[in-house]
Amino acid sequence: MEAHGGLGALLEKYNLPLISAYCGTNLSDPARRKDSISKTLGWAALVKKYKGKVIVVGPNGVRRNSYDFKAHKTIS
């Protein structure tokens, strides 16, 4: 939306506050980790820019019957 006038233009036009944003991202594929973090930080910056207070990060789903939880270790 920023490339087409931005979210701010719509918020201003309709006199709406930005309260929160729901941001879907991939949290299970290590190969997409950097891209996922970058996108989430971009959304956070937009929410902050328009004075929002909350971001809900919704992870991608996985096929539990075939997903190898042991192969995907958490980072520390």
Side-chain angles (χ1 to χ4, degrees), residues 5-17:
L7 179 60
L10 287 174
L11 295 172
E12 188 175 317
K13 179 179 179 180
Y14 295 105
N15 194 30
L16 295 171

Side-chain angles (χ1 to χ4, degrees), residues 3-63:
H4 301 290
L7 179 60
L10 287 174
L11 295 172
E12 188 175 317
K13 179 179 179 180
Y14 295 105
N15 194 30
L16 295 171
L18 178 65
I19 304 300
S20 63
Y22 181 89
C23 309
T25 193
N26 187 305
L27 297 179
S28 63
D29 184 353
R32 297 176 61 185
R33 183 172 289 135
K34 285 184 181 181
D35 182 54
S36 293
I37 291 170
S38 177
K39 285 181 182 179
T40 303
L41 291 174
W43 289 322
L46 280 175
V47 170
K48 182 178 180 181
K49 177 179 178 179
Y50 297 118
K51 298 180 176 53
K53 303 289 184 202
V54 176
I55 295 176
V56 177
V57 177
N60 60 299
V62 296
R63 296 186 185 274

Side-chain angles (χ1 to χ4, degrees), residues 60-71:
N60 60 299
V62 296
R63 296 186 185 274
R64 293 187 177 276
N65 62 347
S66 62
Y67 187 78
D68 185 356
F69 288 91
K70 291 179 184 178

